[in-house]
Amino acid sequence: MRQARALHLSRRGLLTAGGALGLGALVTACGDNGGSGSGGDDSGGGSWSFTDDREKKISLDSRPQHIVAYIGAAAALYDFGIEKQITGVFGPTTLKNGKPDVQAGDFPVDRATSLGNTWGQFNVEKYASLSPDLLITNMFDPGALFYIPDDSKKKILQLAPSAAISTGRISMLEPIKRYAALAEALGADLKAKKVTDAKARFEKATETLRKTVKSHKIKVMACSASADLFYVSNPKINADLIYFSELGVDFVVPEKPDKGGYFESLSWENADKYDADVLFLDNRTATLQPKALTSKPTWSKLAAVKAGQITPWSSEPRFSYAGAAPLVESLTKAIQDAKKVS
């Protein structure tokens, strides 16, 4: 699905790199209240530990109070109730007009220092000035910390411990549960109404989608567009697509995925290789949207495009119940409203 300079389109770009390392490694958060970090007190008193999805145990003298996180991670943690500890973020946080990027979710972007808004940007000096206790990011490839530049990775990781949550090659429910566990370890109350309401909405949405696909036989193609290439995403690799498939959604499966397996990149001349009734189109700001694609002849000839059956796809989902519920609802409505055209 993504490839860094090729539009974030490769998990290093298109967000395609996946890779789940032992999601069986559940949270090992110990502390004053045993099992969830260092207790719920805001002072962060008491020892704290957490085992991430690299099976790496992070141990600190107290609960982290100065966290720097990839914006997607920050948004997920915020949904679970971590509101004050995240002092810095990196990744697509704001648009050119200063408004929040779609990937920021509900996270209050004006409250945190941005270390870089695009791929390859990470201001190490600014990061150091934040006196970070913990760095948090997604992991789409085994051992690869998303959006941490290779050329400065060593310096960055020397400044604070890092925690990585696996977000590729596994069903979306797994990273949601892991972010919930991490948030709880950091002091969040998972029984708070905000969290339980979001979970209830998510569960209701998933059941509605499950029932919908039984009565609506619609073929969906998850895809992403750039100036030169059309990417057909693999429902067997992307966490959200895996989950939607488990619910019964019928996705186009690319025959020849690129290296990494997240998507098959097609030239625009061959963009009509696969038939679909609905296009689930990547809506990240780095990708091209329908209005920008009208000049592509093959795009305009796609049956789903002719029928106007295109729905936005948050291809880099927010791994929280609050973030995922609208995604499920949006896909459900698109399938409900679609007609068979392929």
Side-chain angles (χ1 to χ4, degrees):
M1 274 178 356
R2 323 164 164 46
Q3 191 174 354
R5 296 187 177 176
L7 246 176
H8 266 26
L9 292 158
S10 137
R11 225 33 191 188
R12 248 201 132 155
L14 186 53
L15 189 74
T16 71
L21 267 202
L23 266 167
L26 294 177
V27 98
T28 318
C30 319
D32 290 59
N33 64 348
S36 65
S38 58
D41 100 87
D42 289 337
S43 67
S47 61
W48 185 90
S49 67
F50 181 85
T51 300
D52 76 354
D53 291 343
R54 296 168 295 180
E55 298 186 2
K56 177 181 178 180
K57 185 175 182 178
I58 302 117
S59 298
L60 301 171
D61 292 337
S62 61
R63 183 192 303 149
Q65 295 299 305
H66 301 281
I67 297 170
V68 172
Y70 171 63
I71 187 59
L77 291 170
Y78 183 82
D79 288 341
F80 283 117
I82 300 302
E83 300 184 359
K84 297 180 180 179
Q85 292 146 271
I86 300 174
T87 56
V89 293
F90 55 96
T93 303
T94 56
L95 304 175
K96 291 181 179 179
N97 60 11
K99 292 183 179 181
D101 188 281
V102 63
Q103 289 175 238
D106 296 325
F107 182 79
V109 297
D110 58 338
R111 294 188 196 173
T113 299
S114 174
L115 306 180
N117 206 62
T118 61
W119 184 265
Q121 290 183 346
F122 192 109
N123 191 315
V124 181
E125 290 71 23
K126 192 179 288 187
Y127 175 54
S129 73
L130 295 175
S131 300
D133 299 318
L134 182 65
L135 176 73
I136 301 172
T137 192
N138 292 338
M139 186 168 64
F140 293 98
D141 283 320
L145 303 184
F146 195 51
Y147 255 82
I148 302 296
D150 289 337
D151 58 359
S152 55
K153 179 179 178 180
K154 185 175 181 180
K155 290 181 180 179
I156 293 168
L157 297 184
Q158 287 175 341
L159 293 170
S162 61
I165 300 297
S166 288
T167 49
R169 302 180 190 277
I170 48 174
S171 179
M172 182 170 65
L173 269 183
E174 294 305 319
I176 289 176
K177 291 176 182 177
R178 291 293 283 142
Y179 267 113
L182 177 54
E184 185 174 39
L186 291 170
D189 178 10
L190 299 187
K191 294 181 181 179
K193 189 174 186 300
K194 169 186 173 181
V195 180
T196 58
D197 283 356
K199 186 176 182 181
R201 178 183 172 184
F202 172 77
E203 291 174 342
K204 180 180 178 181
T206 59
E207 283 310 304
T208 301
L209 177 57
R210 194 192 303 273
K211 293 176 181 177
T212 295
V213 296
K214 288 181 179 180
S215 57
H216 294 70
K217 303 302 180 182
I218 297 297
K219 176 74 77 172
V220 179
M221 181 160 64
C223 51
S224 188
S226 72
D228 300 319
L229 295 170
F230 183 63
Y231 301 86
V232 178
S233 296
N234 191 347
K236 297 182 179 181
I237 301 292
N238 297 277
D240 55 342
L241 303 186
I242 290 174
Y243 184 63
F244 298 148
S245 295
E246 291 171 348
L247 295 175
V249 177
D250 183 15
F251 283 106
V252 169
V253 179
E255 297 171 355
K256 298 180 180 180
D258 295 4
K259 183 178 181 181
Y262 275 84
F263 57 87
E264 178 178 355
S265 56
L266 302 173
S267 65
W268 277 108
E269 290 77 10
N270 297 311
D272 58 352
K273 179 177 180 179
Y274 302 105
D275 294 324
D277 303 304
V278 170
L279 296 187
F280 204 25
L281 185 66
D282 190 346
N283 72 345
R284 290 173 307 150
T285 53
T287 64
L288 297 185
Q289 300 309 303
K291 288 184 180 180
L293 293 170
T294 55
S295 63
K296 305 289 186 184
T298 314
W299 167 262
S300 300
K301 291 178 181 178
L302 294 175
V305 174
K306 288 181 179 179
Q309 295 179 172
I310 306 168
T311 193
W313 171 35
S314 296
S315 63
E316 188 179 336
R318 207 160 88 229
F319 294 105
S320 67
Y321 297 115
L327 308 184
V328 180
E329 292 167 349
S330 176
L331 178 58
T332 300
K333 187 176 188 306
I335 293 174
Q336 289 173 336
D337 294 344
K339 296 179 181 180
K340 193 72 179 175
V341 295
S342 63

